Amino acid sequence: MEIRRGRRSDATEIAALHAESWRTAYAQIMPASFLGGSLLEDRLGLWRGRLDDPLPGAALFVVEATTEIDGFAYLMPQSDGRLLLDNLHARPGRTGSGIGGQLLAHALAWAADEHPGRPVYLDVLRANTRAIAFYERHGALRIDERVCGFEQGFDLPELEYTWPVSAPA
């Protein structure tokens, strides 16, 4: 399994994986009209934008365990000094294979090296219990709960998790 930096040429494949992952993980959580609508086009716009005009200090990592991208993680600096793990996805059908754990470990190590002393956090939908269990197994601590308003007109409860900054050795 190879983890590498994402490239501009990955945008279409990452967008398709992102949409497929959401349609699988959120099938009983998000409205079917949203998941079955223009989700792929929306994700394609997001990833083309992120890869055509990269945010300073952000990083995209992809896993190629087969002949295609099987997972990705995206981190971006926030104005409060923290790093947001905005995306962590393994290809449906490949979850539980170690892709997510390896991507997460790689992302956290990169964050510690490139942004020392800055905590990494993420938001996860409260109903996404499989993801919550995964993050908690990997050391994330829940620090907040709120409602996330989606521009498509629906609201869902979400939880905020963080990984504490390791003390220098």
Side-chain angles (χ1 to χ4, degrees):
M1 182 178 322
E2 174 191 348
I3 297 177
R4 63 166 174 81
R5 290 297 289 259
R7 303 184 284 257
R8 239 184 212 165
S9 60
D10 295 327
T12 301
E13 192 173 353
I14 288 171
L17 173 52
H18 196 171
E20 179 186 6
S21 178
W22 273 26
R23 286 180 176 136
T24 301
Y26 300 147
Q28 304 302 315
I29 299 172
M30 291 183 165
S33 59
F34 170 67
L35 295 174
S38 59
L39 181 60
L40 178 57
E41 293 79 13
D42 176 66
R43 298 296 86 189
L44 186 55
L46 173 76
W47 288 107
R48 283 184 176 155
R50 284 180 172 177
L51 294 170
D52 286 347
D53 188 19
L55 181 67
L60 171 66
F61 300 104
V62 301
V63 167
E64 291 180 323
T66 61
T67 58
E68 59 189 352
I69 293 174
D70 280 330
F72 66 94
Y74 180 75
L75 298 103
M76 54 196 287
Q78 300 297 291
S79 60
D80 64 4
R82 300 182 300 161
L83 290 168
L84 172 62
L85 178 59
D86 194 43
N87 300 103
L88 178 65
H89 296 274
R91 181 171 300 285
R94 301 270 302 146
T95 56
S97 67
I99 290 171
Q102 288 190 23
L103 268 171
L104 180 58
H106 188 87
L108 293 174
W110 173 86
D113 288 345
E114 295 296 319
H115 300 277
R118 295 175 74 177
V120 174
Y121 78 101
L122 60 78
D123 299 316
V124 59
L125 295 177
R126 187 172 64 196
N128 192 353
T129 56
R130 184 173 179 169
I132 290 167
F134 170 83
Y135 296 129
E136 289 178 352
R137 274 194 317 274
H138 288 86
L141 304 173
R142 183 169 38 166
I143 60 169
D144 201 4
E145 183 170 352
R146 61 186 155 268
V147 174
C148 177
F150 288 80
E151 64 183 45
Q152 294 81 5
F154 59 94
D155 299 329
L156 295 171
E158 71 178 2
L159 306 173
E160 182 178 321
Y161 278 84
T162 191
W163 284 268
V165 176
S166 298

